[in-house]
Amino acid sequence: MSELGNIVAVMVGVAVEGPYSYRVPDGMVVERGSIVEVPLGPRQIMGVVWGEPKDMVAHNRLRDIAVKFDVPPLSGELVDMIDWVARYTLASPGMVMRAVMRSREALDPPRPIIAYRFEGEEPQRMTDARQRVLELLDDGMAWAKAALVGASGVSPSVIDGLVKQGVLTQVELPPPPAVLPPDPDHAPIDLNPVQQEALSQIRELDVQKFGVALLDGVTGSGKTEVFFEAVADTLRAGRQALVLLPEIALTHTFLDRFESRFGARPAEWHSDMTPVQRARVWRSVLTGEARAVVGARSALFLPFHELGLIVIDEEHDGAFKQSDGVNYHARDMAVVRANLADARVILSSATPSVESRNNADQGRYKHVRIDVRHDDAQLPDITALDMREEGPDKGDWIAPALARDIFAALDRGEQALLFLNRRGYAPLTLCRACGHQYQCPDCSSWLVEHRFRGVLQCHYCGHEVRRPEVCGQCGEKDSLVPIGPGIERVAEEAARRFPNARRVILSSDMGTTGQIKERFAEIARGDYDLIIGTQLVAKGHHFEKLTLVGVLDADLGLAHGDPRAAEKTFQLLTQVTGRAGRAARSGKAYLQTYHPEHPVMQAMVKGDREGFYAHEIKVREEGGLPPFGRLAALIISASEHEAALGHARHLLGKAPQAEGVRLFGPADAPVAMVRGRHRIRLLVQSPKTFDLSSYVRFWLTGADKPTGNLRVQVDIDPVSFY
Ligand code: ADP
Ligand code: ZN
């Protein structure tokens, strides 16, 4: 701990460029990372001591730190990481700090449990009820009130009476731990030889030092089992471990697997927690009580003190990129944090991002491969169905060849999955009489019909209208027709064509998280024969009886002006077809496509993932696209198109010249309006080694600040291009 003087810099969670100076009152001792409360204007707010003050401020103008909380300080590496993320993403450090300091309640000591003990002095008047209570307490142990009421069956007032008379004394017990410690040696699994080899390669990374491994193995090869052993090594070394998953993959199944391996559940961190649960977990990570955390991307900002390992499972997943508020990529920032914390990183995927593949090819990451499925289960046999020649009959979405195999699978008592990555009934509704197409009033997007709920909904802003009976434009009755399929429409066809199959439809809007988890458990039990789902089903679920997958629109991801379109499509198709045929049964998958000759479809059909990466890496290199060049997107938005475009042109005029930097735009963003705001995009492309963050910061500093309702959002390394 470095000595700080009696004036210190304190970072507060507001959008300002840096920390403010405060005086440390007599008798208070703070260090870098100390969590405090300081006056700011008329309020008191939470802050973190950042270090020495940057500017000298007249002493008499400073205000005092009001409170120093009785918790350990944030670790130095975390404070450094906040600065790093802020510099890189162009967010203000105060806003990044807010991602860390999520819970004010976590700073108060956990409330003790009030309990009662019998000291031996009997009450003057004994009743049956009193007798029952005292018998329970006869062993001299302290009981919590609720437990005492429950066990004795008396009313709480009986206990209050005994306390008042001094027969029972009140004691305070420490609260139970938020989590139990995981035991690295609880139930290690016998790894097969290939997995064993993968583990020993990971073990070549020193458990006390920074290092990154790309765990690159086909679906079902046992990557989870392998990284669990790395978690165990970390725990044995006395360090904390963090496993990050896409929120959607953070399931009971995963937590149960962790528990069977380590004998205790990990601390969890995701959006579905109550504030009280959050506070308990946050605090237990800070105090070191929690040794292992499994969480969604924001768990990266938890206040670990002894972080020794970060696993990013499904590292290629777009869900690791946060795209509102602070635009950070949890996979990339995990590598940054691990570097600052001298920790290891394992990036695990069956379809690594091109970025990580390239880092492994270049030797920056250790490339650990597992090429065979556990128990020699075969990868599915994949067939592309050319929609122009073998497509479905008019009005249907399921091609004849696929339908035949669904019947066959059902006959064998196996499960089939129909995959379409589109929620709702139909992506577009139009009026047969006048041609009117239903569009969101606030966004440039069609309204998607959700027939089940009887509404038309915008998938960008959530705007909903009841499905009209008459066309709002021409007044014609019953004239609306749905165009194109969503999964509800596929489910309708499935009901017609496979009436005897037990069917289930699954997408994120089909119930609460709890209900969806329940559906997954039912599928795993074999309660359904035919599953119709979106990418919700594609990720992280193993269904023993599932042997057939039909992808109804394999081209869905290819149409966008997104440099990662091919990669994303390849990843999703690999993932969803990989659901077929685990365990002992071999699987089959169909891709319905209009582009059977596309490199993605070819790679899928031939099972040639190496071929795909080689091709994709070549394309990226030639185009100077990530990871061979860098991109930043600036979205300039305003309620008036003119204002947004005007400011974008102004920015373009102010862009500094730099070698190798190219600017594209301004142009309407692919989704040109969202929530009533017009969106103009500027795209910056730079060489790989160029400091794009500093360039954009310098650029914006020299340009007019946006005024009125104008907004400029900067996205370094954008992942979505809408
Ligand atoms: P991945 O993460 O690569 O998709 P998993 O770790 O989920 O693969 O393994 C797939 C299935 O095979 C799981 O049900 C897992 O329990 C089982 N499995 C993998 N390796 C072993 C092993 N060595 N012994 C027993 N079961 C294993
Ligand atoms: Zn909308």
Side-chain angles (χ1 to χ4, degrees), residues 12 14 18 100 154 187 240 301 397 403 493 557 614 623 635 654 668:
V12 289
V14 293
V100 175
V154 304
Q240 292 166 297
F301 289 101
W397 313 102
E493 179 181 346
I635 298 281
K654 290 288 179 182
D668 284 351

Side-chain angles (χ1 to χ4, degrees), residues 207 229-241 307-309 344:
V207 70
E229 293 315 302
V231 168
D233 290 346
T234 306
L235 298 175
R236 286 188 200 103
R239 308 189 82 191
Q240 292 166 297
L307 187 59
L309 173 69
R344 297 184 298 169

Side-chain angles (χ1 to χ4, degrees), residues 36 102 162 197 260 346 428 594:
V36 295
R102 288 283 283 273
L162 288 168
E197 170 58 26
S260 2
I346 298 176
L428 169 63
Y594 285 95

Side-chain angles (χ1 to χ4, degrees), residues 440 442-443 445 458 460-461 463:
C440 176
D442 299 325
C443 305
S445 77
C458 169
Y460 284 96
C461 72
H463 171 84

